[in-house]
Amino acid sequence: MDLDDSSSSGVPNSSAPEPIYVPPAIPTENLNLPKSSEDLLIDKDLVIRALAIYEPLRRFSNLVRLTQFRFEEFCGSISSTDEQNVLFVEIHIQLLKALLREDDVLSTTFGPPELKDSIQSIFYFIDPLTWPEALRTYLESDPSFEAPEIPAEYPFVSVEKRIDILTILVNQFLATTPVRDSLSTEVIKHEDHCRACARLGELIC
């Protein structure tokens, strides 16, 4: 359709939409990781995704109830796909417990009333042996939640699959009330001068 189309009276059509000009795409360069990332024990293509998991765990370590650990240690824990280690297990357990605390506050149930107690016991007696089954039960408890199917052999799966599952747990954790409250009460410092002219003015946030 011609946007400059005029009516039969010779008056420009005022109802014609304004043309939208899309600026040309700005070319972006591939992200080049520093040399220090070559000893992280995971593929370079997975480093950014691993960081997206590690950073919330570090930032909200008090809410997850985990002692802080280095990113190198985290990469080492998810790279050992043929065995479990303490850090990898504790990350899953503490994330699950944080989600369960949120569900407990919201009075969320994970099954029919006649099976409520048996299902709840699976969650509240999580230990280093039972956590994979508790994780599977939790993710499958809500049919509307689009979560990838957890392999029966989890956690003895590929690094990429481990990152997929941890990403789901971290995203769920970031939506909990304690995290939102922590972000809303955080003091945000704003600049009181203009970067361009360096003059003072009224700051509008």
Short mmCIF file of all heavy atoms in Angstrom, two decimals, residues 44-70:
data_model
loop_
_atom_site.label_atom_id
_atom_site.label_comp_id
_atom_site.label_asym_id
_atom_site.label_seq_id
_atom_site.Cartn_x
_atom_site.Cartn_y
_atom_site.Cartn_z
N LYS A 44 34.04 -23.49 25.61
CA LYS A 44 33.94 -22.03 25.56
C LYS A 44 32.52 -21.57 25.23
O LYS A 44 32.07 -20.52 25.68
CB LYS A 44 34.91 -21.47 24.53
CG LYS A 44 36.36 -21.47 24.97
CD LYS A 44 37.23 -20.77 23.94
CE LYS A 44 38.67 -20.66 24.40
NZ LYS A 44 39.52 -19.95 23.43
N ASP A 45 31.80 -22.34 24.43
CA ASP A 45 30.44 -21.95 24.05
C ASP A 45 29.48 -21.99 25.24
O ASP A 45 28.38 -21.43 25.15
CB ASP A 45 29.92 -22.88 22.95
CG ASP A 45 30.72 -22.73 21.66
OD1 ASP A 45 31.32 -21.66 21.47
OD2 ASP A 45 30.74 -23.69 20.86
N LEU A 46 29.87 -22.65 26.32
CA LEU A 46 28.99 -22.77 27.48
C LEU A 46 29.38 -21.84 28.62
O LEU A 46 28.70 -21.80 29.64
CB LEU A 46 29.01 -24.22 27.99
CG LEU A 46 28.55 -25.30 27.00
CD1 LEU A 46 28.73 -26.68 27.61
CD2 LEU A 46 27.10 -25.08 26.61
N VAL A 47 30.45 -21.08 28.44
CA VAL A 47 30.95 -20.24 29.54
C VAL A 47 29.93 -19.16 29.92
O VAL A 47 29.66 -18.95 31.11
CB VAL A 47 32.29 -19.58 29.16
CG1 VAL A 47 32.69 -18.53 30.19
CG2 VAL A 47 33.38 -20.64 29.07
N ILE A 48 29.34 -18.48 28.94
CA ILE A 48 28.39 -17.41 29.24
C ILE A 48 27.16 -17.98 29.93
O ILE A 48 26.62 -17.38 30.88
CB ILE A 48 27.99 -16.67 27.95
CG1 ILE A 48 29.22 -16.04 27.30
CG2 ILE A 48 26.96 -15.61 28.25
CD1 ILE A 48 29.95 -15.04 28.18
N ARG A 49 26.68 -19.14 29.50
CA ARG A 49 25.52 -19.75 30.14
C ARG A 49 25.85 -20.18 31.56
O ARG A 49 25.00 -20.06 32.46
CB ARG A 49 25.05 -20.96 29.32
CG ARG A 49 24.51 -20.61 27.95
CD ARG A 49 23.93 -21.83 27.26
NE ARG A 49 22.83 -22.37 28.05
CZ ARG A 49 22.35 -23.60 27.89
NH1 ARG A 49 22.87 -24.41 26.98
NH2 ARG A 49 21.36 -24.02 28.63
N ALA A 50 27.06 -20.66 31.77
CA ALA A 50 27.48 -21.03 33.12
C ALA A 50 27.57 -19.79 34.01
O ALA A 50 27.20 -19.83 35.20
CB ALA A 50 28.81 -21.75 33.08
N LEU A 51 28.04 -18.68 33.45
CA LEU A 51 28.10 -17.42 34.21
C LEU A 51 26.71 -16.95 34.61
O LEU A 51 26.52 -16.39 35.70
CB LEU A 51 28.80 -16.35 33.39
CG LEU A 51 30.32 -16.29 33.48
CD1 LEU A 51 30.88 -15.33 32.44
CD2 LEU A 51 30.78 -15.90 34.87
N ALA A 52 25.72 -17.16 33.74
CA ALA A 52 24.35 -16.74 34.04
C ALA A 52 23.77 -17.53 35.20
O ALA A 52 22.83 -17.08 35.85
CB ALA A 52 23.47 -16.91 32.80
N ILE A 53 24.31 -18.71 35.46
CA ILE A 53 23.90 -19.50 36.62
C ILE A 53 24.70 -19.09 37.85
O ILE A 53 24.16 -18.91 38.95
CB ILE A 53 24.09 -21.00 36.35
CG1 ILE A 53 23.22 -21.45 35.17
CG2 ILE A 53 23.77 -21.83 37.59
CD1 ILE A 53 23.54 -22.84 34.68
N TYR A 54 25.99 -18.93 37.66
CA TYR A 54 26.88 -18.64 38.79
C TYR A 54 26.61 -17.28 39.42
O TYR A 54 26.62 -17.15 40.65
CB TYR A 54 28.34 -18.72 38.32
CG TYR A 54 29.33 -18.23 39.34
CD1 TYR A 54 29.70 -19.04 40.41
CD2 TYR A 54 29.90 -16.96 39.24
CE1 TYR A 54 30.61 -18.60 41.36
CE2 TYR A 54 30.82 -16.52 40.17
CZ TYR A 54 31.17 -17.33 41.23
OH TYR A 54 32.06 -16.89 42.17
N GLU A 55 26.35 -16.27 38.61
CA GLU A 55 26.22 -14.91 39.14
C GLU A 55 25.05 -14.78 40.12
O GLU A 55 25.22 -14.19 41.19
CB GLU A 55 26.09 -13.91 37.99
CG GLU A 55 26.07 -12.46 38.43
CD GLU A 55 27.30 -12.05 39.22
OE1 GLU A 55 28.38 -12.65 39.02
OE2 GLU A 55 27.18 -11.14 40.06
N PRO A 56 23.84 -15.29 39.81
CA PRO A 56 22.77 -15.21 40.81
C PRO A 56 23.10 -16.01 42.08
O PRO A 56 22.74 -15.59 43.18
CB PRO A 56 21.55 -15.82 40.09
CG PRO A 56 21.84 -15.62 38.65
CD PRO A 56 23.32 -15.77 38.52
N LEU A 57 23.79 -17.14 41.94
CA LEU A 57 24.17 -17.91 43.12
C LEU A 57 25.14 -17.12 43.99
O LEU A 57 25.08 -17.19 45.22
CB LEU A 57 24.80 -19.25 42.70
CG LEU A 57 23.89 -20.23 41.96
CD1 LEU A 57 24.68 -21.48 41.55
CD2 LEU A 57 22.70 -20.62 42.83
N ARG A 58 26.03 -16.38 43.35
CA ARG A 58 26.98 -15.57 44.11
C ARG A 58 26.30 -14.35 44.70
O ARG A 58 26.50 -14.01 45.87
CB ARG A 58 28.13 -15.12 43.19
CG ARG A 58 29.24 -14.36 43.91
CD ARG A 58 30.11 -13.61 42.91
NE ARG A 58 29.36 -12.58 42.23
CZ ARG A 58 29.09 -11.37 42.76
NH1 ARG A 58 29.52 -11.06 43.97
NH2 ARG A 58 28.42 -10.48 42.07
N ARG A 59 25.45 -13.70 43.89
CA ARG A 59 24.80 -12.46 44.34
C ARG A 59 23.83 -12.72 45.49
O ARG A 59 23.74 -11.93 46.42
CB ARG A 59 24.07 -11.84 43.14
CG ARG A 59 23.13 -10.70 43.47
CD ARG A 59 23.88 -9.49 43.98
NE ARG A 59 22.99 -8.38 44.23
CZ ARG A 59 22.24 -8.26 45.33
NH1 ARG A 59 22.28 -9.19 46.27
NH2 ARG A 59 21.45 -7.21 45.50
N PHE A 60 23.09 -13.83 45.43
CA PHE A 60 22.09 -14.14 46.45
C PHE A 60 22.49 -15.38 47.25
O PHE A 60 21.65 -16.21 47.59
CB PHE A 60 20.72 -14.35 45.80
CG PHE A 60 20.22 -13.18 45.02
CD1 PHE A 60 20.27 -13.19 43.64
CD2 PHE A 60 19.74 -12.05 45.66
CE1 PHE A 60 19.82 -12.11 42.90
CE2 PHE A 60 19.29 -10.96 44.93
CZ PHE A 60 19.32 -10.98 43.55
N SER A 61 23.77 -15.49 47.55
CA SER A 61 24.26 -16.67 48.27
C SER A 61 23.61 -16.81 49.64
O SER A 61 23.39 -17.93 50.12
CB SER A 61 25.79 -16.60 48.42
OG SER A 61 26.16 -15.41 49.11
N ASN A 62 23.27 -15.67 50.28
CA ASN A 62 22.63 -15.76 51.59
C ASN A 62 21.21 -16.29 51.49
O ASN A 62 20.72 -16.98 52.40
CB ASN A 62 22.64 -14.40 52.29
CG ASN A 62 21.92 -13.34 51.47
OD1 ASN A 62 21.94 -13.38 50.24
ND2 ASN A 62 21.29 -12.38 52.13
N LEU A 63 20.52 -15.98 50.39
CA LEU A 63 19.16 -16.49 50.20
C LEU A 63 19.16 -17.95 49.77
O LEU A 63 18.27 -18.71 50.15
CB LEU A 63 18.42 -15.64 49.16
CG LEU A 63 18.21 -14.16 49.51
CD1 LEU A 63 17.49 -13.44 48.38
CD2 LEU A 63 17.44 -14.02 50.81
N VAL A 64 20.16 -18.32 48.97
CA VAL A 64 20.27 -19.73 48.56
C VAL A 64 20.84 -20.57 49.70
O VAL A 64 20.70 -21.79 49.72
CB VAL A 64 21.17 -19.86 47.30
CG1 VAL A 64 21.13 -21.27 46.75
CG2 VAL A 64 20.72 -18.90 46.23
N ARG A 65 21.51 -19.88 50.64
CA ARG A 65 22.13 -20.54 51.79
C ARG A 65 23.29 -21.43 51.34
O ARG A 65 23.41 -22.60 51.72
CB ARG A 65 21.11 -21.34 52.60
CG ARG A 65 19.98 -20.46 53.15
CD ARG A 65 18.99 -21.20 53.97
NE ARG A 65 17.92 -20.31 54.41
CZ ARG A 65 16.88 -20.70 55.16
NH1 ARG A 65 16.79 -21.96 55.54
NH2 ARG A 65 15.96 -19.82 55.50
N LEU A 66 24.12 -20.83 50.52
CA LEU A 66 25.35 -21.47 50.07
C LEU A 66 26.52 -20.56 50.41
O LEU A 66 26.42 -19.34 50.28
CB LEU A 66 25.34 -21.69 48.55
CG LEU A 66 24.53 -22.86 48.00
CD1 LEU A 66 24.50 -22.80 46.48
CD2 LEU A 66 25.13 -24.19 48.44
N THR A 67 27.61 -21.14 50.84
CA THR A 67 28.82 -20.35 51.00
C THR A 67 29.33 -19.99 49.61
O THR A 67 29.15 -20.75 48.65
CB THR A 67 29.90 -21.12 51.76
OG1 THR A 67 30.15 -22.36 51.09
CG2 THR A 67 29.45 -21.41 53.19
N GLN A 68 29.96 -18.84 49.49
CA GLN A 68 30.42 -18.40 48.18
C GLN A 68 31.58 -19.28 47.70
O GLN A 68 32.39 -19.75 48.48
CB GLN A 68 30.84 -16.94 48.23
CG GLN A 68 29.67 -15.99 48.46
CD GLN A 68 30.03 -14.55 48.15
OE1 GLN A 68 31.11 -14.26 47.68
NE2 GLN A 68 29.10 -13.66 48.39
N PHE A 69 31.62 -19.47 46.39
CA PHE A 69 32.64 -20.29 45.76
C PHE A 69 33.07 -19.62 44.48
O PHE A 69 32.37 -18.76 43.95
CB PHE A 69 32.12 -21.72 45.49
CG PHE A 69 30.77 -21.75 44.83
CD1 PHE A 69 30.65 -21.72 43.44
CD2 PHE A 69 29.62 -21.80 45.60
CE1 PHE A 69 29.41 -21.75 42.84
CE2 PHE A 69 28.37 -21.82 45.00
CZ PHE A 69 28.25 -21.79 43.62
N ARG A 70 34.22 -20.02 43.98
CA ARG A 70 34.75 -19.39 42.77
C ARG A 70 34.09 -19.97 41.53
O ARG A 70 33.58 -21.09 41.55
CB ARG A 70 36.26 -19.58 42.70
CG ARG A 70 37.05 -18.91 43.83
CD ARG A 70 38.53 -19.14 43.65
NE ARG A 70 38.83 -20.57 43.55
CZ ARG A 70 39.94 -21.07 43.01
NH1 ARG A 70 40.84 -20.26 42.49
NH2 ARG A 70 40.14 -22.38 42.97
#
